[in-house]
């Protein structure tokens, strides 16, 4: 997998599947994606985030939850202290997982001081719980993390009526495989075998879970990664197309133009102008 994909196996605590860190960004963080979820709370300073091609101001109280279908870069102004919570999809409920994958608005929200205090307090409890090893630790961590996610959902105005309420859909391993292997263009038939469902039933469950067809979801991952390569490398367009798993250059150009309204070359040129 190309280096612009950050892998959970290199970052997440292998026992708890969650890592909590306080850090200060002093230098730009290049465009990237990851195969895990990430919550970040800015606790001071100022900066800018490029998220899915859009620019957002970051300051004290800025908070966002990113899924593996998002790509972003962070540009601090001087210093940007923040708290990062990275976690695997299998430690939260399937219902919250669906909400986080399906929503695509209000990605960065701004908390007032009252909400900021509550959010920071929950993070402190979560961090303390992550250092404790007893029979109740797993439940304690899961519940606190889900409280944080619900706070984000409420502040972002995310619709909580997202598809089926069937929590038995075994999507965790399927989604992880898709996030890790999207550039190999895995077929829906192959992924449905992992779930134990027929292709038809899997297709319905997948749409209920993500709000998208399997093909649209997979194409979105490919295109998001293409945007990263176009903005952060000098790879030829045909190489970008191949790296992202498109069957041909013409298919890549057609899909990219349909999604963005412009060609890959034009997208790269506009990105270069913004960074001059």
């Amino acid at each position: 997998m190309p280096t612009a994909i950050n892998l959970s196996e290199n970052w997440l605590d292998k026992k708890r599947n969650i890592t909590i860190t306080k850090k200060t960004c002093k230098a730009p963080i290049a465009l990237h994606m990851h195969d895990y979820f990430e919550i970040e709370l800015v606790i001071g300073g100022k900066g800018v985030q490029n998220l899915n091609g859009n620019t957002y101001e970051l300051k004290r109280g800025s908070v966002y939850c990113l899924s593996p279908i998002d790509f972003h870069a962070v540009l601090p102004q001087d210093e940007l202290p923040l708290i990062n919570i990275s976690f695997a999809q299998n430690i939260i409920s399937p219902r919250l997982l669906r909400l986080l994958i399906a929503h695509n608005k209000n990605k960065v929200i701004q908390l007032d001081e009252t909400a900021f205090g509550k959010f920071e307090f929950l993070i402190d409890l979560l961090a303390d719980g992550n250092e404790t090893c007893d029979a109740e630790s797993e439940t304690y961590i899961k519940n606190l993390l889900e409280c944080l996610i619900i706070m984000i959902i409420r502040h972002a105005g995310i619709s909580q009526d997202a598809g089926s309420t069937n929590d038995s859909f075994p999507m965790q391993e399927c989604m992880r495989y898709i996030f890790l292997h999207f550039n190999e263009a895995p077929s829906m038939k192959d992924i449905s075998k992992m779930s134990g469902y027929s292709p038809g039933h899997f297709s319905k469950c997948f749409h209920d879970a993500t709000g998208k067809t399997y093909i649209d979801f997979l194409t979105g991952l490919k295109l998001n990664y293409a945007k990263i390569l176009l903005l952060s490398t000098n790879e030829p367009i045909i190489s970008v197309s191949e790296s992202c798993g498109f069957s041909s250059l013409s298919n890549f150009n057609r899909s990219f133009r349909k999604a963005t309204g412009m060609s890959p070359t034009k997208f790269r040129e506009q990105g270069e102008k913004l960074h001059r």
Side-chain angles (χ1 to χ4, degrees):
M1 181 63 70
T3 56
I5 305 289
N6 294 345
L7 301 179
S8 57
E9 61 196 54
N10 298 328
W11 178 245
L12 296 185
D13 179 276
K14 291 179 172 58
K15 184 177 180 181
R16 296 286 178 82
N17 282 329
I18 184 171
T19 297
I20 305 164
T21 55
K22 288 188 177 182
K23 60 184 180 180
T24 298
C25 294
K26 299 180 179 180
I29 299 175
L31 278 168
H32 65 282
M33 301 169 71
H34 29 70
D35 71 320
Y36 49 88
F37 286 79
E38 182 178 70
I39 294 173
E40 287 192 328
L41 173 68
V42 178
I43 58 178
K46 291 185 178 181
V48 172
Q49 175 159 222
N50 184 324
L51 173 57
N52 297 336
N54 299 310
T55 300
Y56 300 89
E57 178 187 6
L58 297 179
K59 58 183 180 180
R60 177 179 171 84
S62 298
V63 64
Y64 44 89
C65 183
L66 307 181
S67 77
I69 64 174
D70 296 311
F71 66 97
H72 72 128
V74 177
L75 306 172
Q77 296 176 9
D78 296 326
E79 295 185 353
L80 189 69
L82 52 83
I83 302 172
N84 176 283
I85 305 169
S86 300
F87 58 96
Q89 62 266 25
N90 60 359
I91 68 171
I92 62 174
S93 73
R95 182 175 181 279
L96 288 181
L97 182 66
R98 285 193 289 270
L99 290 172
L100 293 181
I101 291 175
H103 96 277
N104 58 9
K105 65 176 184 177
N106 298 334
K107 286 285 191 178
V108 179
I109 58 180
Q110 188 62 41
L111 302 176
D112 59 27
E113 280 300 315
T114 299
F116 176 86
K118 294 176 180 178
F119 206 90
E120 192 173 35
F121 176 67
L122 283 175
I123 291 177
D124 287 341
L125 291 177
L126 181 61
D128 289 343
N130 202 37
E131 296 297 322
T132 304
C133 294
D134 58 33
E136 304 302 325
S137 293
E138 184 176 334
T139 300
Y140 184 83
I141 291 169
K142 177 180 183 294
N143 289 345
L144 284 171
L145 178 59
E146 291 192 340
C147 283
L148 288 172
I149 293 171
I150 290 169
M151 284 183 67
I152 292 174
I153 287 170
R154 288 174 174 173
H155 278 83
I158 299 170
S159 172
Q160 297 191 40
D161 182 24
S164 171
T165 58
N166 177 17
D167 282 357
S168 65
F169 176 44
M171 71 180 298
Q172 281 85 357
E173 288 305 312
C174 294
M175 296 303 294
R176 174 172 166 76
Y177 187 89
I178 295 168
F179 294 144
L180 285 172
H181 299 278
F182 66 85
N183 63 342
E184 300 170 17
S187 70
M188 189 181 74
K189 181 179 179 181
D190 290 337
I191 301 299
S192 67
K193 288 181 180 178
M194 295 178 60
S195 71
Y197 292 159
S198 68
H201 187 57
F202 174 83
S203 177
K204 181 182 183 303
C205 291
F206 191 89
H207 189 274
D208 286 345
T210 66
K212 298 180 180 180
T213 67
Y214 177 79
I215 293 298
D216 286 346
F217 188 88
L218 184 65
T219 300
L221 283 174
K222 293 179 182 179
L223 291 175
N224 277 0
Y225 191 61
K227 292 173 184 176
I228 292 177
L229 296 181
L230 290 168
L231 294 176
S232 61
T233 74
N234 293 318
E235 283 193 41
I237 301 300
I238 190 170
S239 296
V240 171
S241 171
E242 293 170 352
S243 295
C244 297
F246 284 92
S247 59
S248 67
L249 180 59
S250 60
N251 185 25
F252 172 55
N253 285 331
R254 182 169 57 253
S255 297
F256 197 93
R257 186 180 292 276
K258 180 180 179 181
T260 67
M262 64 183 78
S263 68
T265 301
K266 185 68 174 179
F267 180 85
R268 173 177 273 170
E269 290 173 351
Q270 287 197 358
E272 289 173 349
K273 290 178 182 177
L274 289 175
H275 288 85
R276 285 174 185 170

